Amino acid sequence: MKNDRGDIELAGVCKSFDGVTNVVDGVNLRIADGAYCCFIGPSGCGKTTILRMIAGHEDPTAGEIVIGGQNVVGLAPMQRRTAMMFQSYALFPHLTVRENIAFALRVRGQSKTDRLRAADAMIEKVRLTQFADRLPAQLSGGQQQRVALARAAITEPRVLLLDEPLSALDEQLRVQMRQELRRMQQELGITFIHVTHTQLEAIALADLVVVMEQGKIKQAGAARDVYAHPHDRYVAEFMGGQNVLSGRVEKVNGASFTLAQAAPSGIEVPLQARSTVNVGDKVDIAVRRDDVALVRPGRDLPPGYTTSLPSRVLAIEYQGYFVKVMLDTVPDDEFVAYVPEKTFFADPFTVGDVVMATWATGSALPLA
Amino acid sequence: MQPSPSPTLSPARSNLAGWLYVSPLVLVLVPFFVAPILVVLAASFFATDGFGGLTPGFTLASYVEVLHSALTLKLYLATIKFTVLTWIFTLIIGFFVAYFLVFHVRNQLLAIGLFLLCTVPFWTSNIIRMISWIPLLGKEGLINQALLAIGLIHQPLEILLFSDLAVVIAYVHQLTIFMIVPIFNSMARIDKKLIEAAIDAGASRFDIMRLIVVPMSKSGIALGTIFVVSIVMGDFFVVKVMSGGGSASVVSAFYEDVGVLQYPTAAASAVLLTLVLVAIVSLILRTVDIRQEITR
């Protein structure tokens, strides 16, 4: 019986192209069967290399890649029962949509009638029936993407690998195709591994977000975990939506500690998961941009708000449902408040105003 | 004259601009291509006094003579045989050399170096290249010596040199590069990701070649074919030298005609050959759209 499980385990996977530097450096990860997993990181962080190693287009220098309980290192893509959707799609330009989609069945020796019937069924699934006889060059970007998806999915792989599938599309189409990817994934019920450098894409789609830097996994977890509870400065800054501040620990008092800052009272931070913090340590903390409230100097802070940092408004950007206010709260680092539109316009600030940036004590998050 | 108020050129002026754009090509094509063809075409309809003198006029006598001669058919058959054999061998060798250079040589500098190596035979003259086959293929040549020495044959093989085999060998030697270059060119444009996508779909090496590489090199193959076919069909020198006079081609026949001052029949043969070649080339162009090769 063939093994249909598409759970993946990476164990100590390393890859080096020149024998000196590891592009992928000791990656351990477990991806559940039927999960939508997004690898995210800046270009050159090794995410595409991991994808290509899972696909079988690259062999790991060290480590094991286990799919469905079977070590697949050294196997051809067809034996792994993975399929890859390439960046910019790599559709065969001399074949029609139908022939492109039927290609994998053709090289598997399926009869012409069988494979064309299967291809037509798949074409219907991706809603391309009226374009079946066109060449790829005669299709729009979104249609080409659907052909690429159909071509990869036709072999009923247990894992589908997508290399920056949306990067060739314009913004509007990207959002639309994002949903389509998710719909296809649910319909096929197989594991999707998606490489991207767009945070929004990753958190919108993924069950499991894997943040990478320089060949290493920085954090892996559910989208909300990674976004709201970043482990360290890198993840917080990469995922966005957070202000990162650093300072020295002034005193530790039970369940919280106080960070010395250019503030009258310092910054009180709950200890949370960080077990040991000593006086004098240099610590990074993160505060969500939408948790920051701005209060005019002299007014009372809302209850539960203990920290207030005097700041000057550097710039204001209207974003629709919120207003992005850039402040000079901390030297050298960006500090931004996302103020709800209605709150902002009840008492609008202008560039140059002095305000107090404040937040509820519980929303400050110590970073590793 | 008042300058035209509209920003677009008036019909007459845009016409002039159009002619100016094509003028460089016209200046080359008319004196070096159109005029000679017209001269040959005219000569083919003239009468001759048999001693090289031409009488202007219009007679189809030369065509009748050429078309009625049993020799013409024989020569065409011989030429087509050389052409087809040369085409097959240059295509096979050219395709695989290009395939190797594009898909198996990872280092681009090495690929370019090897590519230049293919042109080494062209660093010397055509005649030298042909003569250089004699020490290899001749009666006392290396191959015969070797075969005699290992006892495979007891008599030197006569067929190696001054034979049809030698003609084809010389053609293949000279013309394979004309296959390599255009095929290399179109193969080099195949996105390597397509090959990877085919591997991902489970295609074998042979599948990839059959379903991806060959169809996508079609325009290069067509261009190379046009080069090889037109060169072989228009050649007489290689046939003359390498066959030792034992074989002839269409062109060698009208070379003989010119030698005995039969200009109109030579011209008529030339026109006929041109028509045949035009037919072959247009057949190739109808099968394969080479525009993408030229425009991109």
Side-chain angles (χ1 to χ4, degrees):
Chain A
M1 210 187 90
K2 76 184 174 180
N3 179 354
D4 272 325
R5 272 166 52 217
D7 54 317
I8 299 173
E9 199 177 333
L10 306 177
V13 173
C14 294
K15 177 69 184 178
S16 173
F17 289 106
D18 55 6
V20 183
T21 47
N22 274 342
V23 180
V24 173
D25 196 4
V27 163
N28 295 300
L29 185 69
R30 200 186 288 265
I31 303 166
D33 185 19
Y36 200 119
C37 171
C38 275
F39 278 86
I40 181 167
S43 43
C45 72
K47 57 193 193 300
T48 298
T49 308
I50 290 187
L51 191 80
R52 291 172 53 81
M53 285 194 285
I54 299 172
H57 292 297
E58 218 71 79
D59 282 326
T61 314
E64 280 190 4
I65 298 170
V66 178
I67 303 179
Q70 174 198 14
N71 186 0
V72 295
V73 172
L75 295 184
M78 191 169 79
Q79 295 164 303
R80 296 176 184 219
R81 302 201 32 243
T82 57
M84 183 146 165
M85 190 175 134
F86 289 80
Q87 193 177 10
S88 67
Y89 317 135
L91 299 177
F92 305 123
H94 60 295
L95 300 180
T96 63
V97 167
R98 185 181 286 116
E99 289 166 336
N100 258 290
I101 293 172
F103 184 86
L105 303 178
R106 183 171 179 186
V107 299
R108 281 165 166 74
Q110 228 180 63
S111 78
K112 193 164 184 168
T113 43
D114 283 354
R115 68 173 187 250
L116 291 185
R117 194 178 314 123
D120 281 336
M122 185 55 83
I123 288 170
E124 200 162 324
K125 219 181 231 176
V126 294
R127 299 181 218 139
L128 283 171
T129 307
Q130 68 203 91
F131 305 105
D133 293 313
R134 293 216 189 158
L135 292 176
Q138 298 165 312
L139 300 178
S140 72
Q143 289 160 349
Q144 289 184 19
Q145 203 240 18
R146 296 210 290 253
V147 177
L149 187 60
R151 185 180 67 176
I154 190 125
T155 57
E156 297 174 3
R158 40 185 189 171
V159 180
L160 193 74
L161 303 146
L162 307 102
D163 188 5
E164 309 219 357
L166 304 172
S167 62
L169 305 176
D170 57 50
E171 184 57 39
Q172 218 175 357
L173 206 53
R174 205 176 302 169
V175 174
Q176 200 182 322
M177 296 312 291
R178 201 160 79 187
Q179 282 166 20
E180 200 142 338
L181 283 181
R182 184 76 215 197
R183 180 179 67 82
M184 278 297 278
Q185 193 256 345
Q186 272 154 2
E187 210 164 296
L188 297 168
I190 59 175
T191 312
F192 268 40
I193 300 182
H194 175 141
V195 160
T196 177
H197 53 249
T198 316
Q199 296 86 321
L200 274 177
E201 205 170 293
I203 58 176
L205 282 170
D207 303 316
L208 175 64
V209 175
V210 181
V211 185
M212 291 197 61
E213 188 202 17
Q214 293 182 348
K216 289 194 166 75
I217 292 181
K218 281 283 169 182
Q219 188 171 354
R224 224 181 139 202
D225 262 3
V226 175
Y227 183 81
H229 302 283
H231 269 317
D232 60 9
R233 180 180 262 269
Y234 176 82
V235 177
E237 285 179 346
F238 191 80
M239 294 308 293
Q242 304 271 4
N243 292 304
V244 181
L245 301 89
S246 54
R248 290 201 182 278
V249 176
E250 209 169 48
K251 59 177 185 246
V252 182
N253 37 355
S256 68
F257 62 92
T258 309
L259 206 62
Q261 257 287 348
S265 56
I267 302 169
E268 197 188 344
V269 183
L271 207 48
Q272 294 192 8
R274 301 285 170 279
S275 48
T276 51
V277 172
N278 298 313
V279 173
D281 284 357
K282 192 171 180 289
V283 172
D284 290 333
I285 63 159
V287 180
R288 282 175 67 143
R289 290 175 173 181
D290 49 354
D291 281 342
V292 176
L294 303 180
V295 179
R296 291 206 184 266
R299 303 246 178 106
D300 287 341
L301 298 181
Y305 285 44
T306 51
T307 304
S308 69
L309 304 177
S311 325
R312 193 177 293 277
V313 176
L314 293 176
I316 295 168
E317 267 180 17
Y318 179 59
Q319 303 273 337
Y321 62 93
F322 69 90
V323 179
K324 184 175 175 186
V325 183
M326 281 153 271
L327 304 161
D328 69 347
T329 313
V330 278
D332 309 326
D333 275 319
E334 234 190 345
F335 194 95
V336 177
Y338 290 160
V339 184
E341 186 198 23
K342 290 194 179 73
T343 318
F344 181 87
F345 287 104
D347 179 16
F349 304 109
T350 51
V351 174
D353 282 1
V354 174
V355 297
M356 304 304 286
T358 180
W359 58 84
T361 307
S363 56
L365 176 77
L367 300 174
Chain B
M1 207 176 85
Q2 284 233 310
S4 163
S6 81
T8 55
L9 292 171
S10 67
R13 287 190 56 189
S14 71
N15 228 341
L16 179 68
W19 281 108
L20 279 176
Y21 282 130
V22 297
S23 61
L25 194 61
V26 170
L27 286 178
V28 172
L29 283 182
V30 168
F32 298 112
F33 178 71
V34 179
I37 288 234
L38 287 179
V39 168
V40 171
L41 192 65
S44 71
F45 294 117
F46 287 1
T48 176
D49 58 7
F51 301 101
L54 292 181
T55 329
F58 183 84
T59 166
L60 292 173
S62 308
Y63 285 95
V64 173
E65 197 187 321
V66 169
L67 288 174
H68 265 255
S69 155
L71 187 64
T72 307
L73 184 65
K74 233 178 85 184
L75 289 174
Y76 267 95
L77 287 180
T79 305
I80 286 168
K81 182 183 77 184
F82 287 137
T83 308
V84 169
L85 285 173
T86 308
W87 175 69
I88 289 173
F89 288 113
T90 51
L91 177 60
I92 292 172
I93 299 171
F95 181 86
F96 282 102
V97 168
Y99 183 81
F100 174 77
L101 289 178
V102 172
F103 293 107
H104 288 274
V105 183
R106 294 264 168 107
N107 182 339
Q108 201 171 7
L109 212 63
L110 184 64
I112 293 170
L114 290 173
F115 186 73
L116 288 177
L117 212 60
C118 296
T119 66
V120 166
F122 288 79
W123 296 1
T124 179
S125 92
N126 197 4
I127 300 175
I128 305 286
R129 262 181 287 154
M130 281 192 287
I131 291 173
S132 62
W133 282 106
I134 294 174
L136 192 69
L137 300 175
K139 211 168 172 185
E140 313 278 304
L142 273 176
I143 291 181
N144 269 327
Q145 296 284 345
L147 290 176
L148 282 172
I150 59 170
L152 260 176
I153 52 170
H154 303 292
Q155 292 280 319
L157 292 174
E158 304 267 350
I159 193 187
L160 291 180
L161 192 61
F162 303 132
S163 63
D164 289 356
L165 176 69
V167 174
V168 173
I169 288 175
Y171 274 138
V172 171
H173 179 204
Q174 282 184 18
L175 302 178
T176 300
I177 188 79
F178 290 100
M179 275 293 188
I180 297 175
V181 174
I183 296 178
F184 177 89
N185 203 23
S186 49
M187 269 185 195
R189 247 177 286 182
I190 299 177
D191 187 351
K192 297 289 182 294
K193 278 207 178 137
L194 295 184
I195 309 297
E196 219 161 57
I199 294 172
D200 201 77
S204 64
R205 262 172 194 233
F206 179 67
D207 284 332
I208 292 170
M209 193 179 292
R210 185 171 61 102
L211 301 174
I212 311 291
V213 177
V214 170
M216 292 192 71
S217 316
K218 257 199 319 210
S219 54
I221 293 172
L223 271 179
T225 304
I226 292 173
F227 287 146
V228 169
V229 167
S230 53
I231 292 174
V232 174
M233 292 202 71
D235 177 80
F236 75 99
F237 191 68
V238 174
V239 177
K240 195 177 149 99
V241 174
M242 294 307 286
S243 74
S247 297
S249 69
V250 176
V251 182
S252 58
F254 54 84
Y255 178 73
E256 301 289 313
D257 278 347
V258 171
V260 296
L261 308 180
Q262 295 298 317
Y263 297 128
T265 39
S269 304
V271 171
L272 188 64
L273 179 63
T274 307
L275 291 178
V276 170
L277 264 178
V278 167
I280 294 175
V281 169
S282 46
L283 198 73
I284 294 171
L285 293 185
R286 276 188 72 133
T287 336
V288 180
D289 183 7
I290 63 162
R291 269 175 303 180
Q292 48 168 322
E293 195 67 19
I294 296 162
T295 50
R296 259 190 306 172

